[in-house]
Amino acid sequence: MSYNISFKIRVAETDEYIRVGNCDANITWNVRKIIELSTGLPWKNEDNNGYCVDVIPSIRKGREELIRNPEKYKPYEPDNGWGSVESTIHFFTCILEAWDTYAEWTRPAIVAKTTFWVS
């Protein structure tokens, strides 16, 4: 199983969300502990994890943390070899590249209301 990331925005006056942007980042569930420890985020699967403008800075911080201190997170790599510190860095990089492109080309009012989904 894997985590798939998407950006979504709520449709006005409904409880429905539609996908926006072009984020296709995914990674195995086996690195959940690495993600949570490096970002400080509770990683809620199959759920809205909050506004991207609040989540993305923690992902940036987590990516930098993993680059600077990979050995600190090696103990949390799964024994089965599915997932690693390196693959988590790549995962974070994919998210950040997708977000930066989206935020650059989208109106600020929409960017501010875009949510971060883990599925």
Side-chain angles (χ1 to χ4, degrees):
M1 303 293 270
S2 64
Y3 294 122
N4 296 297
I5 304 304
S6 59
F7 308 140
K8 296 182 182 181
I9 195 152
R10 189 172 71 81
V11 177
E13 301 177 32
T14 74
D15 290 330
E16 298 294 320
Y17 286 78
I18 58 170
R19 195 176 167 135
V20 294
N22 192 26
C23 187
D24 63 356
N26 67 20
I27 197 165
T28 178
W29 288 2
N30 295 331
V31 296
R32 179 185 188 118
K33 196 70 169 170
I34 296 171
I35 292 170
E36 290 178 334
L37 291 173
S38 66
T39 65
L41 295 172
W43 205 250
K44 298 182 286 184
N45 194 26
E46 300 294 329
D47 204 355
N48 177 350
N49 280 246
Y51 289 116
C52 289
V53 294
D54 297 327
V55 173
I56 293 296
S58 295
I59 292 174
R60 281 192 206 286
K61 176 190 78 89
R63 181 180 176 276
E64 293 306 313
E65 171 66 12
L66 293 177
I67 290 169
R68 279 194 302 264
N69 301 301
E71 294 305 317
K72 179 179 174 182
Y73 299 91
K74 291 278 185 188
Y76 302 103
E77 291 183 336
D79 293 335
N80 66 10
W82 288 56
S84 64
V85 169
E86 291 78 18
S87 66
T88 307
I89 291 169
H90 177 73
F91 174 65
F92 286 165
T93 300
C94 289
I95 294 168
L96 295 171
E97 287 174 353
W99 175 253
D100 290 344
T101 299
Y102 173 75
E104 179 181 354
W105 293 101
T106 305
R107 292 186 309 199
I110 295 172
V111 168
K113 297 296 183 181
T114 303
T115 54
F116 187 91
W117 289 75
V118 178
S119 59

